[in-house]
Amino acid sequence: MKRYDRRMAIIILVLFLLLSIKSVLLDPVTPSTKALEQYAGFARLAAPLQVGMPPLLEKLHTFRTISVEQVSEEGDTLILYPVPGENKLAEARLSGTYEARVRGYLLFVLPVKQILIEGGLENHENDTQS
């Protein structure tokens, strides 16, 4: 390897290391309240469904919530969120309207897609079919 090639390889490795640190440690949000934490979990679950990618590519992607906020205090938001430490989902009704930004990463590191998740699950209990 020539001197120039070696320098370029080192620069690429350093940049990849910096991108990895940014993607894994700096991007994910740490919500300040329980409601924001629950909505962040809901957003991570909803993002792959909204993108609609093939199952093979879905296994190569990781989704992380990068921001979550309460947009308004009016109304309620019905969500399903993963229970920490358990392998199940719980339902919650949060007061207010929420939105979150979720970023999709290829192979845990390379950011490839950013998704905006607004609102929650729609309630279809009162729908009637004829």
Side-chain angles (χ1 to χ4, degrees):
M1 228 184 210
K2 294 183 181 180
R3 189 176 199 184
Y4 176 77
D5 295 339
R6 199 172 323 131
R7 276 193 218 159
M8 291 308 287
I10 290 171
I11 289 172
I12 289 171
L13 287 174
V14 168
L15 289 175
F16 185 75
L17 179 65
L18 291 174
L19 178 65
S20 299
I21 290 170
K22 176 207 155 292
S23 296
V24 174
L25 299 177
L26 299 178
D27 278 353
V29 67
T30 52
S32 57
T33 65
K34 184 177 179 181
L36 290 176
E37 182 179 339
Q38 291 172 343
Y39 195 79
F42 166 74
R44 275 191 309 275
L45 290 175
L49 301 174
Q50 198 173 38
V51 173
M53 63 180 85
L56 178 63
L57 288 178
E58 193 173 297
K59 294 180 188 218
L60 298 174
H61 278 76
T62 304
F63 292 93
R64 294 187 190 104
T65 306
I66 59 171
S67 73
V68 61
E69 63 181 316
Q70 184 175 5
V71 179
S72 77
E73 295 183 9
E74 297 175 8
D76 288 336
T77 304
L78 178 66
I79 63 168
L80 286 174
Y81 66 96
V83 179
E86 299 179 25
N87 195 15
K88 66 177 187 176
L89 298 175
E91 184 177 298
R93 183 172 297 278
L94 306 175
S95 61
T97 307
Y98 294 82
E99 76 176 21
R101 294 196 188 285
V102 179
R103 192 171 287 154
Y105 295 89
L106 182 64
L107 301 174
F108 297 101
V109 176
L110 300 170
V112 291
K113 187 152 195 93
Q114 186 163 311
I115 305 149
L116 177 65
I117 306 291
E118 297 175 305
L121 302 172
E122 291 185 24
N123 190 0
H124 293 291
E125 294 175 2
N126 297 330
D127 290 348
T128 58
Q129 294 179 346
S130 301

